[in-house]
């Protein structure tokens, strides 16, 4: 049904922020093509009048009261940080998208 | 052909010429930050100014295993805001994930709404200074969570360009937002910049009146993205639009819309094309600059949020909330101006100083409208300005009403009342208590005044003689001396009466 | 004390409650056994050691002081590494989380601590629970105690192997498409995927939010029920958590042991989950079990679930789509490893991409890319949208089936444990292996796997899957316990007592062990 190209895989890898090697792009292009061919059959039975189910249990209006609960301590919050400066997370320079 | 980026404003086509050639089409996306006690999806405090990363938990930090729980109050506030904007409240609504990577977005997706927003299809009518009424159609108002705050370090400007690294504070991450999206606004013509400003002001005013947001633009509670496109006169094909992000003051909205119209007109008239892109407003230079072009990189891969359930606000709940809506701000302004009998300028002064609530409450506490206005926009505003705080944070309407009552009863002169006000602000108590403790009341005991007057008259026999001769204007010198002796705590008019009386009676 | 590891959780609990055995003794016995056998099996990624003994000593002190504790207090348990534990590293089998110690406990872990269970350690799994063999763990494979050249199932191979090899009487697993039930089947243990929303997901590192469910792993149906009663129930931190009040699963399992428990029970055999593609020995043991059920008075009906044919396809769209979004948070900012790119500028974007390239394994990348594709503009309706519709059709199939029968049964997996590497090269072959278990996740209904014998051709365990309508988890325990009792009566022993000895110590132990 759908022919997956290496360019497509490279673009998907960009969207997913994974710096795939050229070899990986090649093998994923092949894998993805096969997988997509096998799973594309969902559209065979998915008729327009069939409603979509996004949740297995049909619950609605699950809300929480607006009541403050204790947060983590700053040390807990930052305990897993690869890098920090004071009480903030430190990240490398951000590409100019602003 | 002129470059799409103007180096300075001098290259711009002037506004009137731009309008002769092109018709502007506008659109606005206004983000209103809700003032709920907790965040949108977790129980962390929604608080401005806390220590970095103190209001965080596994959910709003996007830790593995964290899960969202919807804040009912945020839904309620969103529905009330939607109702105040004349929106329909969706019978079925749900959250969706908007997927994109950015270090201030803890989950690397924003929990937002896509095809089923909570509010849709509303409108508000705004009044321009000319009296022109413009109806702005609202396409939708949806809920989403805010991002954390980035600080860019190193580099010269503190801006993202040239920074060495950035710091992230996730306290704001997960704070509830309502994004209000307008339909295209056509026919704005020369009023386009003012429509932008007035529309955003109206949203801000409504949010504030509802009490759903602190609505302080300077704290980022209300943020505006302005969409502008131009189409040549006589064409019915829409032009390419740009989206100018984060225009965060009313004046900037006006300026940014005006600038973008002029810039696009300059580019188009020179044979150039407009790129569909986000642009950034620079308050200091008064220009916009190109940001990221819109492209397929903007593939947000929206899908229904599987960790949250759909919402179906009952019609009963919606109607209950409708009953809690305050009077629309525009209608309220009309009503109050008429009731108070203020001239346009007087009323505008009150509105622009954000003192409508204060004056109304002071009048409700028994003061006359004019006195309330005079004090709030005069002495109190002056003191607040000097202290760099909001006027209504200095005194309560009840305190001011009590002060005004003392003046009108003759207990205080205006000058004494100002001293009492200082005492009240200093926390010395109610106006009556300050009058007592500082001993500032007007001396209305004639006996005490007569003593001082007699002494003054006898001390200046030449003046006494002149007064007795009918030269009444000579009394001024004596009145001055008496007021001085009474340290100002006397009613000058009464002193004058008594001086004339005593001049005849004195031995 | 080695015999302590052979006891069921229920039996061990009796000794603890009557103070014939201390929690420290029970814990030490299990820790010793882990030391003896796990170097080879590698069921554990982290062993709590002294922390477990300390926790056990506290339970002993409380019990000695006369405090009335949960009946499972002092019973050791292994935790799948997908669950956040604030005193143990939590990696989900991924290099990207190497060494991460969460600042909080998953709700189910908090329940275990509150009930006084002793956390022995964290068990191995396919990275982020993506896999059916535990071969996709970043920390090496776990071996099947029945045959060390074979997979222990996945993704919860570590929990199943730990229980099957007597390193823990109980374990927690998570099941997105069979990750509790299939490992149970191929290791001869018991595993239950509760009704979606029956057990909190808060603190379970999400694979596919609308499919994931945490559940018990054990050697007996009754033990699973006891554990289910501890971890189940409403959690306000998980919005999809059901607010229903649940009956005691332990009582339901006990009910299955009474005479005539299966009499009149309507059992549906799903036509589409049998026949071609099912190993002969699997089909044989399944058919024998059905005969046993008939003999016990159950009514067997064949039911059709025509849309199950599309279940695997729908699953491999929904899962990658949700996973691609759930795994976006692994970005080297707030937790986990950070890897700088080999070349190019050191920007945040490049560091994120380099970290995710280095930190994720092949299967994770494959599914993230697939999910990103399925959600992309232009493909959403054809893929993700259609898959959600298939989900509706599968729910309708279940509804139709459950209008005729009380429970549905099928083999838990098409084959017995396969050899390492056998399906690694062909992702679709691996995916198809989940054909039996996936429908329950798509529909949210509960499912259980219990051992029903060894396949004659390879001597490896075969599992029976039992499924019940949503919220009727108790029914699984009643029927499961009844079948387990019939089979053990027929065999004259438990199935796991037949597992090959792991070490000389084990041979000795099994002689004096209470089986």
């Amino acid at each position: 049904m759908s022919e997956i190209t290496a360019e497509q895989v490279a673009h998907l890898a960009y969207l997913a922020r994974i710096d795939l090697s050229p070899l990986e792009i090649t093998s994923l292009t092949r894998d993805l093509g096969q997988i997509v061919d096998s799973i594309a059959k969902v559209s065979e039975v998915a008729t327009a009048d069939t409603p979509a189910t996004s949740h297995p249990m049909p619950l609605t209006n699950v809300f929480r009261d607006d009541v403050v609960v204790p947060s983590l301590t700053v040390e807990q919050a930052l305990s897993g940080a690869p890098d920090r400066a004071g009480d903030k997370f430190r990240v490398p320079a951000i590409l100019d998208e602003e | 052909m002129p470059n799409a980026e103007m180096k300075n404003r001098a290259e711009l086509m002037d506004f009137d010429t731009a309008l002769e050639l092109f018709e502007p089409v506008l659109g606005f996306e206004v983000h209103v930050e809700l003032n709920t006690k907790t965040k949108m999806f977790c129980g962390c405090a929604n608080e401005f100014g806390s220590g970095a990363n103190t209001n965080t938990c596994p959910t709003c930090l996007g830790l593995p295993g964290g899960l969202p729980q919807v804040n009912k109050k945020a839904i309620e506030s969103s529905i009330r805001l939607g109702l105040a904007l004349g929106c329909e409240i969706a019978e079925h609504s749900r959250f969706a994930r908007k997927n994109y990577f950015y270090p201030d977005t803890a989950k690397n997706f924003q929990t937002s709404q896509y095809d089923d927003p909570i509010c849709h299809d509303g409108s508000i009518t705004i009044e321009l200074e000319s009296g022109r009424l413009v109806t702005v159609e609202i396409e939708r108002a949806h809920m989403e969570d805010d991002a954390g705050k980035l600080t860019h370090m190193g580099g010269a400007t503190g801006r993202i360009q040239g920074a060495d690294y950035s710091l992230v504070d996730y306290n704001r991450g997960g704070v509830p937002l309502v994004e209000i999206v307008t339909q295209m606004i056509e026919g704005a013509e020369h009023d386009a910049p003012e429509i932008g400003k007035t529309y955003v002001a109206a949203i801000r005013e409504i949010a504030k009146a509802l009490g759903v947001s602190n609505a302080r633009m300077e704290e980022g509670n209300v943020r505006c993205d302005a969409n502008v496109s131009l189409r040549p006169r006589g064409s019915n094909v829409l032009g390419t639009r740009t989206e100018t992000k984060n225009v965060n003051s009313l004046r900037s909205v006006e300026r940014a819309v005006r600038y973008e119209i002029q810039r696009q007109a300059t580019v188009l008239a020179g044979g150039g094309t407009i790129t569909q892109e986000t642009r950034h407003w620079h308050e200091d230079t008064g220009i916009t600059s190109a940001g990221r072009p819109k492209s397929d990189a903007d593939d947000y891969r929206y899908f229904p949020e599987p960790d949250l359930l759909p919402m179906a606000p009952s019609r009963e709940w919606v109607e209950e909330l409708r009953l809690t809506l305050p009077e629309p701000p525009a209608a309220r302004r009309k009503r109050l101006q008429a009731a108070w009998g203020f001239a346009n300028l007087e009323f505008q002064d009150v509105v622009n100083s954000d003192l409508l609530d204060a004056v109304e409450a002071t009048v409700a506490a028994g003061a006359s409208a004019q006195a309330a206005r005079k004090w709030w926009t005069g002495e109190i505003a002056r003191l607040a300005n000097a202290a760099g705080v909001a006027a209504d944070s200095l005194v309560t309407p009840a305190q001011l009403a009590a002060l005004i009552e003392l003046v009108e009863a003759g207990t205080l002169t205006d000058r004494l009342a100002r001293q009492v006000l200082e005492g009240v602000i200093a926390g010395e108590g109610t106006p009556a208590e300050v009058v007592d403790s500082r001993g500032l009341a007007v001396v209305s005991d004639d006996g005490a005044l007569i003593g001082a007057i007699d002494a003054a008259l006898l001390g200046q026999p030449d003046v006494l003689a002149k007064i007795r001769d009918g030269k009444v204007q000579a009394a001024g010198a004596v009145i001055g001396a008496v007021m001085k002796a009474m340290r100002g705590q006397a009613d000058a008019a009464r002193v004058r009466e008594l001086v004339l009386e005593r001049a005849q009676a004195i031995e | 004390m080695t015999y302590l590891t052979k006891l069921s959780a229920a039996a061990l609990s009796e000794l603890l409650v009557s103070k014939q055995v201390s929690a420290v003794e029970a814990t030490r016995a299990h820790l010793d056994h882990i030391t003896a056998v796990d170097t080879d099996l590698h069921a554990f990624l982290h062993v709590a050691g002294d922390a477990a003994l300390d926790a056990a000593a506290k339970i002993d002190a409380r019990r000695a002081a006369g405090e009335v504790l949960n009946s499972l207090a002092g019973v050791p348990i292994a935790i799948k590494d997908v669950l956040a534990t604030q005193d143990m590293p939590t990696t989900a089998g991924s290099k990207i989380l190497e060494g991460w110690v969460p600042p909080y406990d998953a709700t189910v872990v908090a329940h275990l601590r509150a009930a006084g269970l002793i956390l022995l350690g964290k068990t191995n799994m396919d990275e982020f629970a993506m896999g059916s063999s535990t071969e996709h763990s970043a920390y090496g494979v776990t071996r099947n105690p029945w045959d060390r050249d074979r997979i222990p199932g996945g993704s919860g191979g570590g929990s199943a192997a730990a229980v099957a090899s007597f390193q823990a009487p109980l374990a927690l697993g998570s099941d997105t498409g069979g990750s509790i039930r299939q490992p149970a089947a191929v290791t001869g243990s018991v595993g239950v995927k509760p009704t979606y929303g029956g057990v909190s997901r808060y603190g379970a590192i999400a694979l596919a939010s609308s499919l994931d469910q945490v559940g018990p792993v054990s050697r007996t149906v009754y033990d699973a029920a006891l554990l289910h009663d501890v971890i189940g129930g409403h959690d306000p931190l998980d919005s999809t958590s059901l607010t229903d009040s649940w009956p005691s699963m332990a009582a339901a399992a006990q009910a299955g042991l009474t005479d005539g428990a299966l009499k009149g029970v309507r059992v549906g055999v799903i036509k589409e989950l049998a026949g071609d593609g099912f190993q002969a020995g699997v089909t044989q043991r399944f058919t024998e079990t059905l005969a046993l059920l008939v003999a016990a008075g159950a009514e067997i009906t064949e039911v059709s679930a025509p849309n199950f044919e599309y279940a695997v396809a729908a699953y491999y769209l929904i899962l990658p789509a949700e996973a691609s979004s759930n795994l976006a948070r692994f970005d080297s900012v707030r937790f986990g490893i950070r890897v700088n790119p080999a070349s190019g500028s050191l920007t945040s974007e490049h560091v994120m991409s380099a970290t995710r390239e280095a930190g994720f394994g092949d299967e994770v990348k494959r599914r993230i890319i697939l999910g990103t594709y399925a959600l992309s503009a232009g493909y959403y309706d054809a893929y993700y949208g259609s898959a959600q519709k298939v989900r509706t059709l599968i729910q309708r199939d279940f509804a139709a089936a459950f209008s005729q029968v009380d429970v549905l049964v099928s083999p838990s997996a098409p084959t017995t444990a396969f050899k390492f590497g056998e399906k690694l090269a062909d992702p679709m072959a691996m995916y198809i292996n989940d054909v039996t278990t996936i429908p329950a996740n798509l529909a949210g209904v509960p499912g259980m796997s219990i051992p029903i014998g060894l396949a004659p051709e390879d001597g490896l365990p075969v599992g029976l899957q039992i499924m019940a309508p949503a919220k009727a988890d108790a029914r699984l325990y009643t029927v499961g316990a009844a079948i387990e009792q019939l089979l053990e009566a027929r065999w004259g022993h438990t199935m796991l007592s037949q597992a090959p000895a792991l070490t000389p110590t084990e041979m000795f132990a099994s002689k004096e062990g209470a089986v």
Side-chain angles (χ1 to χ4, degrees), chain C residues 87-470:
Chain C
D87 52 357
M88 291 186 273
T90 301
T91 69
S94 182
K95 194 173 151 192
I96 207 163
L97 273 183
E98 190 161 17
W100 182 58
V101 181
Y104 77 112
D105 274 338
T107 297
V108 288
V109 171
H111 284 323
L112 296 182
R113 292 193 208 270
L117 282 92
I118 309 302
L119 277 55
L120 287 176
K122 306 297 287 288
T123 58
N124 199 11
M125 57 186 284
D126 284 299
E127 184 177 2
F128 290 113
M130 294 185 192
S132 311
S133 66
T134 315
E135 291 168 289
H136 294 304
S137 167
Y139 302 100
V141 300
T142 295
R143 297 178 183 281
N144 190 321
W146 291 80
D147 179 345
R148 288 175 296 167
D149 293 331
R150 291 179 188 263
I151 59 108
S155 66
S159 281
V163 165
S165 62
F166 301 93
Q167 299 186 67
L170 298 171
L172 284 185
S174 67
D175 189 314
T176 305
S179 288
I180 289 176
R181 290 162 289 160
Q182 181 258 14
V186 300
T187 60
S189 52
V190 174
V192 180
K193 181 203 94 73
T195 295
Y196 183 83
V199 177
S200 170
R201 293 183 297 114
Y202 186 79
I205 298 176
L207 169 53
S209 309
S210 72
L211 301 166
D212 297 344
Q213 195 56 200
V214 176
V217 176
S218 62
R219 291 191 292 265
T220 72
V221 172
Y222 183 59
D223 280 1
L226 290 171
L227 181 52
H228 194 143
D229 285 339
V230 171
I231 60 173
H234 180 244
D235 178 12
L237 294 177
D238 174 0
S239 300
T240 61
S241 171
L242 297 169
T243 52
D244 303 58
S245 60
W246 298 86
S248 160
M249 302 301 158
Q254 289 287 12
L257 302 180
T258 57
D259 280 350
L262 289 171
K263 201 166 172 46
V265 172
R266 298 172 304 164
V267 177
V269 177
I270 304 161
K271 195 171 76 180
E272 286 77 9
L273 298 183
D276 283 356
F278 284 73
Q279 190 180 319
V282 168
T283 302
Q284 185 187 331
R285 294 298 177 228
F286 178 66
T287 312
E288 288 167 8
T289 305
L290 293 181
L292 206 59
L293 283 167
V294 171
E299 298 164 17
I300 309 286
T301 317
E302 188 182 76
V303 297
S304 177
N307 294 294
F308 280 22
E309 182 191 342
Y310 301 96
V312 172
Y315 177 81
Y316 277 99
L317 286 163
I318 293 168
L319 179 145
E322 293 184 8
S324 70
S325 177
N326 285 332
L327 296 183
R329 63 186 60 193
F330 296 87
D331 62 359
S332 78
V333 175
R334 296 162 309 285
F335 52 83
I337 62 166
R338 179 178 290 183
V339 175
N340 287 337
S343 60
S345 54
L346 262 190
T347 62
S348 207
E349 185 175 329
H350 287 152
V351 171
M352 266 185 209
S353 300
T355 299
R356 290 164 65 80
E357 164 65 11
F360 288 147
D362 290 344
E363 181 62 19
V364 173
K365 289 179 200 170
R366 190 180 289 131
R367 295 202 198 181
I368 290 177
I369 297 296
L370 176 58
T372 305
Y373 173 73
L375 290 176
S376 289
Y379 298 103
Y380 179 93
D381 288 339
Y383 293 133
Y384 190 76
S386 295
Q388 298 282 37
K389 291 181 171 187
V390 168
R391 201 166 181 168
T392 307
L393 298 175
I394 285 168
Q395 283 195 334
R396 288 178 184 170
D397 281 358
F398 270 113
F402 284 126
S403 71
Q404 303 170 56
V405 299
D406 301 314
V407 292
L408 291 166
V409 294
S410 76
S412 299
T415 66
T416 56
F418 47 87
K419 289 196 165 138
F420 288 118
E422 206 176 306
K423 299 186 195 237
L424 270 184
D426 182 358
M428 265 332 284
M430 187 80 91
Y431 297 173
I432 291 293
N433 201 254
D434 301 331
V435 62
T436 46
T437 45
I438 279 172
N441 297 84
L442 289 173
V445 305
M448 169 187 278
S449 178
I450 59 170
I452 54 169
L454 305 176
E457 62 268 40
D458 54 20
L460 292 168
V462 175
L464 172 76
Q465 175 178 230
I466 313 166
M467 292 179 282

Side-chain angles (χ1 to χ4, degrees), chain B residues 14-47:
Chain B
D14 75 77
F15 187 69
D16 288 339
T17 313
L19 265 291
E20 271 168 37
L21 297 173
F22 301 99
E23 182 200 342
V25 178
L26 309 176
F28 297 95
E29 287 155 30
V30 176
H31 287 87
V32 176
E33 202 174 75
L34 301 180
N35 60 359
T36 47
K37 291 191 186 73
T38 64
K39 294 185 180 184
M40 183 79 226
F41 299 118
C42 64
C44 289
N46 171 15
E47 223 168 43

Side-chain angles (χ1 to χ4, degrees), chain B residues 204-274:
Chain B
R204 181 180 158 273
E205 192 176 49
I206 288 168
K208 191 166 193 285
L210 287 166
V212 299
S213 172
N214 296 337
R216 294 194 190 100
M217 292 192 81
E218 65 279 13
E219 283 181 15
N221 300 145
V222 178
R223 293 170 245 162
C224 173
D225 302 341
N227 295 323
V228 175
S229 71
L230 298 184
R231 71 174 153 212
R233 294 283 165 194
S235 165
N236 50 15
V237 181
L238 284 171
T240 304
R241 71 186 167 86
T242 60
E243 180 178 358
T244 303
K245 288 276 192 193
N246 290 324
V247 193
N248 292 338
S249 74
L250 296 179
R251 182 165 165 269
S252 298
V253 174
E254 187 168 28
R255 292 173 72 206
V257 169
R258 178 182 295 271
Y259 175 82
E260 210 32 39
I261 289 171
Q262 290 176 265
R263 185 191 69 86
Q264 291 186 18
T266 311
V267 172
L268 291 171
T273 53
I274 300 299

